Amino acid sequence: MTIDLLKDLNPAQRKAAEAISGPILILAGPGSGKTRVITYRIAYLVRTVGVNPHRILAVTFTNKAAREMRERLERLLAGSVKDMTLGTFHAICAGILRRDGEAIGIQREFVIFDADDQEKLLKQAAADANVDPKQYPVGKITAAISSAKSQMTTPEKFRENARNYFDEIVARVYERYEKMLRQNNAVDFDDLLLKTVFLFKRHPEILKRYQERYVHLLVDEFQDTNLVQYELVKLLAGRHRNVAVVGDPDQSIYSWRAADLRNVFNFERDFPDAQIYYLEQNYRSTAKILQVASSVIADNRARKDIKLWTENEPGDPVCLLEAYNEQEEAQMVVREAERLTGSKKYRLSDIAVMYRTNAQSRALEEAFIRYGVPYKLVAGTRFYERREVKDLIAYFRLIHNPADSVSLMRIINVPTRGLGEKSIVEMQAWARGRGLSLFEALEASSTAVDKPPLTARALASFDIFYKLIQGFIEDSRQMPFLEFFDRVLERSGYQAYLKVQPDGEERLENIAELRTVAEPFNGLPPGEALSPFLESVSLVSDLDNLDETEGGVTLITLHQAKGLEFPVVFIVGLEEGVLPHFRSFDDPAQMEEERRLCYVGVTRAKRRLYLLRAFRRSLMGGSTVNEPSRFLEAIPSNLTTEAVSPNEPVQPLIPLQKKLYQYAERPPQAQAAQVSKSAAPGLSRTHVRPSAPAYKTGDQVRHPVFGDGVVISTLPVKDDHEIVVSFKDRGLKKLLLSFAKLEKT
């Protein structure tokens, strides 16, 4: 039975799976089959050793990993998994608190507050504690409290250890926040772990019950545990000491989530009799990719020396590419993706593009859209769909077109202006009753005899907003565009609003990236830049859903890529200040984490790896020339090439609008046959009402400014028509027909 069950494991994996007694540390390199070992180890305990599944606790770091492990075990054990405790730390602790939390005052019906709930409660707690949110942003207080909880520091202890006035402020809010959580019978995500530790320490009889039940404890991704999670592991393993932890210090990349790399090293200190097993055979990558990965990570000091090796083929050299700027970098990626898929050796879904920060996706997204190559953004929001980007664009759209009530409704209370939903509904009803747009109603309400049925305070708030937008309208006609951009961001209060959000820094980076998009329009005369800027942004937004299929190239941050693998990987932005990030320059520990992040990216690649950098990069509102990343310097030259494919010619990229132009010129029969294979099928599906104008898809037209073009689509909009035209020299433009001044050619 044992041979039958473990026959597919290599010798190192088998030893780790068969070691069943005492503490065990399994150091597993990327692609070494660690999840397979954990799964087979559990199956071995049940089928061969005879351990009751009820006595096993297995901890994963994501619900997805837990589901996959359960599915594998169900196949191996044929239904013996249902009595096993298998899940994330948070899910397991929630179950413990449901059963036994009353011992520390947590009722069974408690609710778990998510990040939004937590933010609202902390804002109220700060207000109750008389804390000025402008001087002490709630986002910073939130981070401080979360950090305190991850270090098992209570409000009382935090106050005792306060080192400065900010700590005293945090202590006041922390105490009030905890009281409000109790009043709401609620816990936050940090509490799920922390309260379970408190429960076990304050009630040893409850801890003893769980210790007796769980004879075997297994923990995956141990390098990502924080202090509270490690304390839980030690408490639960305190009786039988049959605890197996699996991890790789070289893949610890979540210190910003309070993950503590030292837990891997402390395990040997706390369990001096621990058996250590190394899983070093990699089944994922080619030999050259592994050699590059080993070169990158070698300079780190806080690591275990895991010597990766493989029986896979040597593979192609890793390709190093230098572009002039981020646009050319993105074009290189798209060109190579088209070449690889054109060779029929790879599919688009085989390819991933990885980057350090979310803001870097913008140039990539625009290139994939422009050249009609399908893509998908993983575990994130597309650049032009991110809330802060949409909010600021809504301001600009309302300034450009005050009749745009959709944009007005999006931002009328963002940031908050003391306008409740009831007040806004009343104003909408008052506007409808008089046949006014909502913006017109805001103007009229201040002078009308029969004012809206609102409080004087609400009417004043509406008037302030109206005057704000009216002032921006005047500014847009007089200021250079970037100066106007900055004026809106500042005077609307939106910049200050973002600064106090928990994720404000990243969101401000995205706003700075939007400013980069605005830069090319700065040379236009005041009053003439806003319209083309919004036109270009609207076009990208409309085409952002282009070919949202499973076959798209994956765009993903390096942090999100952990645990994934792809036949082809591009890592972009390998420059000093980007990867490694500039915030790590003065912190050796953070620099080591940046190196681990690069290592994680490299080891996601199975067959082909491309490392790209730009000579000049416009990012976060500025343009800089950066040195090549120090991580590139660590790679031996014999493992790399600067030629994409010396034996194949470079294919020219064809922009999407040209593809569509060529498509529109074909006979109707050819068009119909091509629709299912079009790079942008959404543009050929426009439903035109019978009252459509005398323009149809494929018509040749001329515009007094944009020149010659071809009609791509028409769409009824109220009493007008929106027409999309692909101009030979100016690309795609979206126009209102009544203003377009088009003529057929």
Side-chain angles (χ1 to χ4, degrees), residues 638-693:
N638 65 306
L639 300 176
T640 65
T641 179
E642 296 181 2
V644 171
S645 182
N647 299 322
E648 297 184 32
V650 176
Q651 298 297 321
L653 283 175
I654 302 176
L656 173 60
Q657 60 264 32
K658 187 172 181 180
K659 294 177 184 177
L660 292 172
Y661 192 92
Q662 293 171 347
Y663 165 73
E665 288 180 327
R666 297 179 184 180
Q669 298 86 350
Q671 290 185 25
Q674 183 66 18
V675 165
S676 63
K677 296 186 284 185
S678 172
L683 292 179
S684 61
R685 295 179 188 157
T686 303
H687 298 285
V688 181
R689 296 175 185 171
S691 58

Short mmCIF file of all heavy atoms in Angstrom, two decimals, residues 638-693:
data_model
loop_
_atom_site.label_atom_id
_atom_site.label_comp_id
_atom_site.label_asym_id
_atom_site.label_seq_id
_atom_site.Cartn_x
_atom_site.Cartn_y
_atom_site.Cartn_z
N ASN A 638 26.57 34.28 -20.02
CA ASN A 638 26.41 33.07 -20.83
C ASN A 638 24.99 32.51 -20.76
O ASN A 638 24.64 31.58 -21.49
CB ASN A 638 27.41 32.00 -20.39
CG ASN A 638 27.16 31.52 -18.97
OD1 ASN A 638 27.11 32.32 -18.03
ND2 ASN A 638 27.00 30.21 -18.80
N LEU A 639 24.15 33.06 -19.86
CA LEU A 639 22.78 32.58 -19.72
C LEU A 639 21.78 33.45 -20.47
O LEU A 639 20.58 33.16 -20.47
CB LEU A 639 22.38 32.53 -18.24
CG LEU A 639 23.21 31.63 -17.33
CD1 LEU A 639 22.75 31.77 -15.89
CD2 LEU A 639 23.11 30.17 -17.78
N THR A 640 22.26 34.52 -21.10
CA THR A 640 21.34 35.49 -21.68
C THR A 640 21.65 35.76 -23.14
O THR A 640 22.72 35.44 -23.65
CB THR A 640 21.40 36.83 -20.91
OG1 THR A 640 22.70 37.41 -21.08
CG2 THR A 640 21.11 36.63 -19.43
N THR A 641 20.69 36.38 -23.80
CA THR A 641 20.85 36.85 -25.18
C THR A 641 20.07 38.15 -25.32
O THR A 641 19.09 38.37 -24.61
CB THR A 641 20.33 35.82 -26.20
OG1 THR A 641 20.48 36.34 -27.51
CG2 THR A 641 18.86 35.51 -25.97
N GLU A 642 20.50 39.00 -26.21
CA GLU A 642 19.77 40.23 -26.49
C GLU A 642 18.99 40.13 -27.79
O GLU A 642 18.33 41.08 -28.21
CB GLU A 642 20.73 41.42 -26.55
CG GLU A 642 21.41 41.69 -25.21
CD GLU A 642 22.34 42.88 -25.26
OE1 GLU A 642 22.42 43.51 -26.33
OE2 GLU A 642 22.97 43.18 -24.24
N ALA A 643 19.06 38.97 -28.42
CA ALA A 643 18.32 38.75 -29.67
C ALA A 643 17.06 37.97 -29.36
O ALA A 643 17.12 36.90 -28.76
CB ALA A 643 19.19 37.98 -30.67
N VAL A 644 15.91 38.49 -29.79
CA VAL A 644 14.66 37.79 -29.54
C VAL A 644 14.66 36.45 -30.23
O VAL A 644 14.40 35.41 -29.65
CB VAL A 644 13.46 38.64 -30.03
CG1 VAL A 644 12.17 37.83 -29.97
CG2 VAL A 644 13.34 39.89 -29.19
N SER A 645 14.97 36.45 -31.50
CA SER A 645 15.05 35.20 -32.26
C SER A 645 15.90 35.46 -33.49
O SER A 645 15.41 35.96 -34.50
CB SER A 645 13.66 34.70 -32.65
OG SER A 645 13.77 33.47 -33.34
N PRO A 646 17.18 35.16 -33.43
CA PRO A 646 18.09 35.51 -34.53
C PRO A 646 17.74 34.84 -35.84
O PRO A 646 18.14 35.32 -36.90
CB PRO A 646 19.45 35.04 -34.01
CG PRO A 646 19.14 34.01 -32.97
CD PRO A 646 17.86 34.43 -32.34
N ASN A 647 16.99 33.76 -35.82
CA ASN A 647 16.70 33.03 -37.05
C ASN A 647 15.36 33.41 -37.67
O ASN A 647 14.96 32.87 -38.68
CB ASN A 647 16.70 31.52 -36.77
CG ASN A 647 18.06 31.06 -36.28
OD1 ASN A 647 19.08 31.53 -36.76
ND2 ASN A 647 18.06 30.14 -35.32
N GLU A 648 14.62 34.32 -37.02
CA GLU A 648 13.32 34.68 -37.55
C GLU A 648 13.24 36.19 -37.72
O GLU A 648 13.71 36.95 -36.88
CB GLU A 648 12.21 34.21 -36.60
CG GLU A 648 12.16 32.70 -36.43
CD GLU A 648 10.98 32.28 -35.55
OE1 GLU A 648 9.94 32.96 -35.59
OE2 GLU A 648 11.10 31.29 -34.84
N PRO A 649 12.63 36.66 -38.82
CA PRO A 649 12.50 38.10 -39.04
C PRO A 649 11.52 38.72 -38.05
O PRO A 649 10.58 38.08 -37.61
CB PRO A 649 11.97 38.19 -40.47
CG PRO A 649 11.23 36.90 -40.68
CD PRO A 649 12.02 35.86 -39.91
N VAL A 650 11.76 39.99 -37.70
CA VAL A 650 10.86 40.71 -36.82
C VAL A 650 9.64 41.14 -37.62
O VAL A 650 9.76 41.78 -38.66
CB VAL A 650 11.55 41.94 -36.20
CG1 VAL A 650 10.56 42.74 -35.37
CG2 VAL A 650 12.72 41.50 -35.35
N GLN A 651 8.45 40.79 -37.14
CA GLN A 651 7.22 41.13 -37.84
C GLN A 651 6.75 42.52 -37.42
O GLN A 651 6.76 42.86 -36.24
CB GLN A 651 6.13 40.10 -37.52
CG GLN A 651 6.47 38.68 -37.97
CD GLN A 651 6.64 38.58 -39.47
OE1 GLN A 651 5.90 39.20 -40.23
NE2 GLN A 651 7.62 37.83 -39.90
N PRO A 652 6.32 43.35 -38.36
CA PRO A 652 5.81 44.68 -37.99
C PRO A 652 4.48 44.56 -37.25
O PRO A 652 3.68 43.67 -37.55
CB PRO A 652 5.64 45.37 -39.35
CG PRO A 652 5.41 44.24 -40.31
CD PRO A 652 6.25 43.10 -39.82
N LEU A 653 4.29 45.44 -36.30
CA LEU A 653 3.02 45.47 -35.58
C LEU A 653 1.99 46.22 -36.40
O LEU A 653 2.29 47.26 -36.98
CB LEU A 653 3.18 46.15 -34.22
CG LEU A 653 3.85 45.32 -33.13
CD1 LEU A 653 4.05 46.19 -31.89
CD2 LEU A 653 3.03 44.09 -32.78
N ILE A 654 0.78 45.72 -36.45
CA ILE A 654 -0.31 46.38 -37.16
C ILE A 654 -1.29 46.92 -36.14
O ILE A 654 -1.90 46.15 -35.40
CB ILE A 654 -1.03 45.40 -38.11
CG1 ILE A 654 -0.03 44.82 -39.12
CG2 ILE A 654 -2.18 46.10 -38.83
CD1 ILE A 654 -0.64 43.78 -40.03
N PRO A 655 -1.44 48.24 -36.04
CA PRO A 655 -2.38 48.79 -35.06
C PRO A 655 -3.79 48.30 -35.31
O PRO A 655 -4.18 47.98 -36.44
CB PRO A 655 -2.28 50.31 -35.29
CG PRO A 655 -0.95 50.51 -35.94
CD PRO A 655 -0.74 49.30 -36.79
N LEU A 656 -4.58 48.26 -34.24
CA LEU A 656 -5.95 47.77 -34.32
C LEU A 656 -6.76 48.57 -35.33
O LEU A 656 -7.51 48.00 -36.12
CB LEU A 656 -6.61 47.86 -32.93
CG LEU A 656 -8.10 47.53 -32.87
CD1 LEU A 656 -8.36 46.13 -33.35
CD2 LEU A 656 -8.61 47.72 -31.45
N GLN A 657 -6.60 49.91 -35.33
CA GLN A 657 -7.42 50.69 -36.25
C GLN A 657 -7.11 50.35 -37.70
O GLN A 657 -7.99 50.38 -38.56
CB GLN A 657 -7.26 52.20 -36.00
CG GLN A 657 -5.84 52.74 -36.15
CD GLN A 657 -5.15 52.82 -34.80
OE1 GLN A 657 -5.43 52.01 -33.93
NE2 GLN A 657 -4.28 53.79 -34.63
N LYS A 658 -5.85 49.99 -37.99
CA LYS A 658 -5.51 49.62 -39.36
C LYS A 658 -6.10 48.25 -39.70
O LYS A 658 -6.58 48.03 -40.81
CB LYS A 658 -3.99 49.59 -39.55
CG LYS A 658 -3.56 49.36 -41.00
CD LYS A 658 -2.07 49.54 -41.16
CE LYS A 658 -1.65 49.35 -42.62
NZ LYS A 658 -0.20 49.52 -42.81
N LYS A 659 -6.09 47.35 -38.71
CA LYS A 659 -6.72 46.05 -38.92
C LYS A 659 -8.20 46.23 -39.24
O LYS A 659 -8.75 45.61 -40.14
CB LYS A 659 -6.56 45.17 -37.68
CG LYS A 659 -5.14 44.75 -37.38
CD LYS A 659 -5.10 43.94 -36.09
CE LYS A 659 -3.68 43.58 -35.70
NZ LYS A 659 -3.61 42.86 -34.42
N LEU A 660 -8.85 47.11 -38.48
CA LEU A 660 -10.27 47.35 -38.69
C LEU A 660 -10.51 48.06 -40.03
O LEU A 660 -11.50 47.81 -40.71
CB LEU A 660 -10.84 48.18 -37.54
CG LEU A 660 -10.89 47.46 -36.19
CD1 LEU A 660 -11.28 48.44 -35.10
CD2 LEU A 660 -11.85 46.29 -36.23
N TYR A 661 -9.59 48.97 -40.37
CA TYR A 661 -9.71 49.68 -41.64
C TYR A 661 -9.64 48.69 -42.80
O TYR A 661 -10.45 48.72 -43.72
CB TYR A 661 -8.59 50.72 -41.74
CG TYR A 661 -8.76 51.71 -42.87
CD1 TYR A 661 -9.42 52.91 -42.63
CD2 TYR A 661 -8.27 51.46 -44.14
CE1 TYR A 661 -9.59 53.84 -43.65
CE2 TYR A 661 -8.44 52.37 -45.16
CZ TYR A 661 -9.09 53.56 -44.91
OH TYR A 661 -9.25 54.47 -45.92
N GLN A 662 -8.66 47.79 -42.71
CA GLN A 662 -8.54 46.78 -43.75
C GLN A 662 -9.77 45.88 -43.79
O GLN A 662 -10.26 45.50 -44.83
CB GLN A 662 -7.28 45.94 -43.50
CG GLN A 662 -5.99 46.73 -43.67
CD GLN A 662 -4.77 45.95 -43.22
OE1 GLN A 662 -4.89 44.93 -42.56
NE2 GLN A 662 -3.60 46.45 -43.57
N TYR A 663 -10.28 45.60 -42.59
CA TYR A 663 -11.47 44.74 -42.50
C TYR A 663 -12.66 45.42 -43.17
O TYR A 663 -13.41 44.81 -43.92
CB TYR A 663 -11.77 44.47 -41.03
CG TYR A 663 -13.15 43.92 -40.77
CD1 TYR A 663 -13.46 42.61 -41.09
CD2 TYR A 663 -14.15 44.72 -40.20
CE1 TYR A 663 -14.72 42.11 -40.85
CE2 TYR A 663 -15.40 44.23 -39.95
CZ TYR A 663 -15.69 42.92 -40.28
OH TYR A 663 -16.94 42.42 -40.04
N ALA A 664 -12.81 46.74 -42.91
CA ALA A 664 -13.96 47.46 -43.45
C ALA A 664 -13.89 47.56 -44.98
O ALA A 664 -14.91 47.70 -45.64
CB ALA A 664 -14.03 48.86 -42.84
N GLU A 665 -12.69 47.50 -45.55
CA GLU A 665 -12.54 47.63 -47.00
C GLU A 665 -12.88 46.33 -47.73
O GLU A 665 -13.03 46.32 -48.94
CB GLU A 665 -11.10 48.03 -47.34
CG GLU A 665 -10.77 49.47 -46.96
CD GLU A 665 -9.34 49.82 -47.31
OE1 GLU A 665 -8.48 48.93 -47.23
OE2 GLU A 665 -9.09 50.98 -47.67
N ARG A 666 -13.03 45.23 -46.98
CA ARG A 666 -13.31 43.96 -47.64
C ARG A 666 -14.76 43.91 -48.12
O ARG A 666 -15.62 44.62 -47.60
CB ARG A 666 -13.07 42.80 -46.67
CG ARG A 666 -11.63 42.72 -46.22
CD ARG A 666 -11.44 41.58 -45.25
NE ARG A 666 -10.07 41.55 -44.74
CZ ARG A 666 -9.64 40.65 -43.87
NH1 ARG A 666 -10.43 39.73 -43.40
NH2 ARG A 666 -8.39 40.69 -43.46
N PRO A 667 -15.06 43.02 -49.09
CA PRO A 667 -16.45 42.85 -49.52
C PRO A 667 -17.30 42.37 -48.34
O PRO A 667 -16.79 41.76 -47.41
CB PRO A 667 -16.35 41.75 -50.61
CG PRO A 667 -14.93 41.79 -51.04
CD PRO A 667 -14.13 42.20 -49.86
N PRO A 668 -18.63 42.65 -48.38
CA PRO A 668 -19.50 42.24 -47.26
C PRO A 668 -19.39 40.76 -46.92
O PRO A 668 -19.42 40.38 -45.75
CB PRO A 668 -20.90 42.59 -47.78
CG PRO A 668 -20.67 43.70 -48.78
CD PRO A 668 -19.36 43.38 -49.41
N GLN A 669 -19.23 39.89 -47.95
CA GLN A 669 -19.14 38.46 -47.66
C GLN A 669 -17.89 38.15 -46.84
O GLN A 669 -17.91 37.36 -45.91
CB GLN A 669 -19.12 37.65 -48.97
CG GLN A 669 -20.39 37.81 -49.80
CD GLN A 669 -20.34 39.02 -50.70
OE1 GLN A 669 -19.44 39.86 -50.61
NE2 GLN A 669 -21.32 39.12 -51.59
N ALA A 670 -16.78 38.81 -47.21
CA ALA A 670 -15.52 38.58 -46.48
C ALA A 670 -15.63 39.11 -45.07
O ALA A 670 -15.11 38.54 -44.12
CB ALA A 670 -14.36 39.23 -47.22
N GLN A 671 -16.35 40.25 -44.93
CA GLN A 671 -16.53 40.81 -43.58
C GLN A 671 -17.28 39.83 -42.71
O GLN A 671 -16.90 39.57 -41.57
CB GLN A 671 -17.32 42.12 -43.66
CG GLN A 671 -16.54 43.27 -44.27
CD GLN A 671 -17.34 44.56 -44.19
OE1 GLN A 671 -18.19 44.70 -43.33
NE2 GLN A 671 -17.06 45.48 -45.07
N ALA A 672 -18.36 39.28 -43.23
CA ALA A 672 -19.18 38.36 -42.43
C ALA A 672 -18.39 37.14 -42.03
O ALA A 672 -18.51 36.64 -40.91
CB ALA A 672 -20.41 37.95 -43.24
N ALA A 673 -17.55 36.64 -42.95
CA ALA A 673 -16.76 35.45 -42.63
C ALA A 673 -15.71 35.73 -41.59
O ALA A 673 -15.25 34.84 -40.89
CB ALA A 673 -16.10 34.91 -43.91
N GLN A 674 -15.29 37.01 -41.49
CA GLN A 674 -14.18 37.36 -40.61
C GLN A 674 -14.64 37.77 -39.22
O GLN A 674 -13.84 37.84 -38.29
CB GLN A 674 -13.38 38.50 -41.24
CG GLN A 674 -12.14 38.94 -40.46
CD GLN A 674 -11.07 37.88 -40.40
OE1 GLN A 674 -11.09 36.94 -41.19
NE2 GLN A 674 -10.16 37.99 -39.46
N VAL A 675 -15.93 38.06 -39.04
CA VAL A 675 -16.40 38.62 -37.77
C VAL A 675 -15.97 37.79 -36.58
O VAL A 675 -15.47 38.30 -35.57
CB VAL A 675 -17.94 38.77 -37.78
CG1 VAL A 675 -18.46 39.00 -36.36
CG2 VAL A 675 -18.34 39.92 -38.67
N SER A 676 -16.09 36.47 -36.68
CA SER A 676 -15.77 35.63 -35.52
C SER A 676 -14.30 35.64 -35.20
O SER A 676 -13.89 35.29 -34.10
CB SER A 676 -16.24 34.19 -35.77
OG SER A 676 -15.53 33.65 -36.88
N LYS A 677 -13.44 36.05 -36.17
CA LYS A 677 -12.01 36.03 -35.92
C LYS A 677 -11.43 37.43 -35.75
O LYS A 677 -10.23 37.60 -35.63
CB LYS A 677 -11.30 35.32 -37.09
CG LYS A 677 -11.67 33.86 -37.22
CD LYS A 677 -10.85 33.17 -38.27
CE LYS A 677 -11.31 33.51 -39.66
NZ LYS A 677 -10.62 32.76 -40.71
N SER A 678 -12.29 38.44 -35.75
CA SER A 678 -11.80 39.81 -35.66
C SER A 678 -11.09 40.06 -34.35
O SER A 678 -11.44 39.53 -33.31
CB SER A 678 -12.98 40.78 -35.80
OG SER A 678 -12.56 42.09 -35.53
N ALA A 679 -10.06 40.92 -34.41
CA ALA A 679 -9.34 41.27 -33.19
C ALA A 679 -10.20 42.05 -32.22
O ALA A 679 -9.93 42.09 -31.04
CB ALA A 679 -8.11 42.10 -33.54
N ALA A 680 -11.26 42.70 -32.72
CA ALA A 680 -12.15 43.48 -31.85
C ALA A 680 -13.59 43.22 -32.23
O ALA A 680 -14.26 44.05 -32.81
CB ALA A 680 -11.84 44.97 -31.98
N PRO A 681 -14.12 42.00 -31.93
CA PRO A 681 -15.47 41.66 -32.38
C PRO A 681 -16.52 42.58 -31.83
O PRO A 681 -17.55 42.80 -32.43
CB PRO A 681 -15.65 40.23 -31.85
CG PRO A 681 -14.67 40.09 -30.74
CD PRO A 681 -13.51 40.95 -31.14
N GLY A 682 -16.27 43.17 -30.67
CA GLY A 682 -17.26 44.06 -30.08
C GLY A 682 -17.58 45.23 -30.99
O GLY A 682 -18.70 45.75 -30.98
N LEU A 683 -16.63 45.67 -31.79
CA LEU A 683 -16.86 46.82 -32.66
C LEU A 683 -17.71 46.45 -33.87
O LEU A 683 -18.16 47.33 -34.58
CB LEU A 683 -15.53 47.40 -33.12
CG LEU A 683 -14.70 48.06 -32.02
CD1 LEU A 683 -13.40 48.57 -32.60
CD2 LEU A 683 -15.47 49.21 -31.39
N SER A 684 -17.89 45.17 -34.13
CA SER A 684 -18.71 44.78 -35.27
C SER A 684 -20.09 44.33 -34.83
O SER A 684 -20.85 43.80 -35.61
CB SER A 684 -18.03 43.64 -36.04
OG SER A 684 -17.88 42.52 -35.18
N ARG A 685 -20.43 44.56 -33.54
CA ARG A 685 -21.71 44.09 -33.04
C ARG A 685 -22.65 45.25 -32.68
O ARG A 685 -23.60 45.07 -31.95
CB ARG A 685 -21.50 43.24 -31.79
CG ARG A 685 -20.74 41.95 -32.06
CD ARG A 685 -20.57 41.19 -30.78
NE ARG A 685 -19.68 40.06 -30.97
CZ ARG A 685 -19.01 39.48 -29.99
NH1 ARG A 685 -19.12 39.92 -28.76
NH2 ARG A 685 -18.23 38.46 -30.22
N THR A 686 -22.35 46.46 -33.13
CA THR A 686 -23.18 47.60 -32.78
C THR A 686 -24.57 47.42 -33.37
O THR A 686 -24.73 47.19 -34.57
CB THR A 686 -22.56 48.89 -33.31
OG1 THR A 686 -21.25 49.01 -32.77
CG2 THR A 686 -23.39 50.10 -32.89
N HIS A 687 -25.60 47.54 -32.53
CA HIS A 687 -26.97 47.42 -33.01
C HIS A 687 -27.48 48.80 -33.39
O HIS A 687 -27.60 49.69 -32.55
CB HIS A 687 -27.85 46.81 -31.92
CG HIS A 687 -27.42 45.43 -31.54
ND1 HIS A 687 -27.65 44.35 -32.34
CD2 HIS A 687 -26.74 44.99 -30.46
CE1 HIS A 687 -27.16 43.26 -31.76
NE2 HIS A 687 -26.60 43.63 -30.62
N VAL A 688 -27.75 49.03 -34.66
CA VAL A 688 -28.18 50.33 -35.16
C VAL A 688 -29.69 50.32 -35.37
O VAL A 688 -30.23 49.41 -35.99
CB VAL A 688 -27.47 50.67 -36.48
CG1 VAL A 688 -27.89 52.04 -36.98
CG2 VAL A 688 -25.97 50.62 -36.28
N ARG A 689 -30.37 51.33 -34.84
CA ARG A 689 -31.81 51.43 -35.00
C ARG A 689 -32.16 51.76 -36.46
O ARG A 689 -31.34 52.27 -37.21
CB ARG A 689 -32.36 52.52 -34.07
CG ARG A 689 -32.17 52.19 -32.61
CD ARG A 689 -32.61 53.35 -31.75
NE ARG A 689 -32.32 53.09 -30.35
CZ ARG A 689 -32.44 54.00 -29.40
NH1 ARG A 689 -32.85 55.22 -29.69
NH2 ARG A 689 -32.16 53.69 -28.15
N PRO A 690 -33.41 51.51 -36.84
CA PRO A 690 -33.80 51.82 -38.22
C PRO A 690 -33.61 53.28 -38.59
O PRO A 690 -33.44 53.62 -39.75
CB PRO A 690 -35.29 51.45 -38.24
CG PRO A 690 -35.43 50.42 -37.16
CD PRO A 690 -34.46 50.81 -36.10
N SER A 691 -33.60 54.17 -37.55
CA SER A 691 -33.45 55.59 -37.84
C SER A 691 -32.00 56.01 -37.95
O SER A 691 -31.67 57.17 -37.78
CB SER A 691 -34.13 56.41 -36.73
OG SER A 691 -33.56 56.09 -35.47
N ALA A 692 -31.10 55.07 -38.21
CA ALA A 692 -29.68 55.38 -38.29
C ALA A 692 -29.41 56.39 -39.39
O ALA A 692 -30.16 56.49 -40.37
CB ALA A 692 -28.88 54.11 -38.57
N PRO A 693 -28.35 57.19 -39.25
CA PRO A 693 -28.04 58.19 -40.27
C PRO A 693 -27.54 57.54 -41.54
O PRO A 693 -27.42 56.32 -41.63
CB PRO A 693 -26.93 59.01 -39.60
CG PRO A 693 -26.26 58.03 -38.70
CD PRO A 693 -27.35 57.15 -38.18
#
